[in-house]
Amino acid sequence: MSGETLGTGISVLLGSYQGVDAEQGIADLESSVVACPDGVEVSDDFKVSAVKSLDAPDVGDDAVAFRLVGGLNGDDTPAAYTVVRSGTNLAMFYAVSLTDPKTVAVPDEVVSAQVAKLEKTSG
């Protein structure tokens, strides 16, 4: 990875769905990102104060990327997400940055490499 991603921590979550559930899930997520630029109250303790759509990498069948700012008990911690659909699978990449939280993003090279592995193993 490039020097600009130093201090970035990334987690990956994979999910497999039935029928069109993955396709509907990523479509719903994309709609929610567009509909909530000023954030949303998830619960009494967890609030998202801002959501910003980002350019998604050209991988998989569909991809959505966004940055949100929010957290527990009024803490505003920026985090970046990229969600990729490949067939009936969804891969969610989550990133936080210890060195530059305001511009945190999931590196495209990480997403591309991991989605290629997913597609190779899932046929």
Side-chain angles (χ1 to χ4, degrees):
M1 288 195 310
S2 65
E4 62 194 42
T5 59
L6 292 176
T8 300
I10 302 167
S11 295
V12 180
L13 175 68
L14 297 174
S16 181
Y17 297 86
Q18 298 290 321
V20 297
D21 289 348
E23 190 173 340
Q24 186 62 53
I26 201 162
D28 290 348
L29 175 62
E30 187 169 21
S31 296
S32 295
V33 167
V34 171
C36 299
D38 296 325
V40 63
E41 185 173 320
V42 178
S43 71
D44 288 341
D45 297 331
F46 188 83
K47 294 176 180 51
V48 174
S49 60
V51 180
K52 179 183 179 187
S53 183
L54 302 174
D55 291 333
D58 188 19
V59 295
D61 297 314
D62 296 301
V64 176
F66 59 97
R67 181 178 305 119
L68 63 78
V69 178
L72 292 170
N73 301 316
D75 183 28
D76 269 350
T77 303
Y81 295 84
T82 298
V83 180
V84 177
R85 182 182 69 83
S86 178
T88 59
N89 299 303
L90 290 179
M92 183 189 80
F93 300 84
Y94 161 79
V96 294
S97 175
L98 301 175
T99 56
D100 195 3
K102 296 206 184 292
T103 61
V104 65
V106 178
D108 286 351
E109 62 265 25
V110 171
V111 175
S112 296
Q114 294 305 313
V115 170
K117 291 177 186 178
L118 172 64
E119 290 177 341
K120 183 178 179 181
T121 59
S122 64

